[in-house]
Amino acid sequence: MIVTLKRYSMALFLLFAVFGLMILGTMGVKSFSDKMVKDAHIEDNIKPRGENLIK
């Protein structure tokens, strides 16, 4: 078990580092878009104008 952990420790570290960066990037984009909508004074719910495909 320890040998396997030592062998794949760098790969696991990179995997979790990429996972963490993806989470941080997603949270950053979400907060940025929320800030843009707030600064644009958009208070209505945005609804698409296309036809409803779910019947």
Side-chain angles (χ1 to χ4, degrees):
M1 178 71 183
I2 299 296
V3 174
T4 305
L5 189 61
K6 284 182 182 179
R7 179 179 294 170
Y8 296 112
S9 63
M10 183 57 86
L12 288 172
F13 172 74
L14 289 174
L15 177 70
F16 286 119
V18 168
F19 180 70
L21 288 173
M22 287 175 64
I23 294 294
L24 287 174
T26 302
M27 289 171 35
V29 168
K30 171 93 170 83
S31 69
F32 178 70
S33 67
D34 289 344
K35 187 176 179 182
M36 278 183 37
V37 168
K38 182 182 169 190
D39 290 345
H41 303 295
I42 299 173
E43 289 142 9
D44 299 338
N45 288 334
I46 299 172
K47 295 181 182 178
R49 291 181 287 183
E51 68 177 276
N52 189 5
L53 298 177
I54 302 173
K55 296 180 181 182

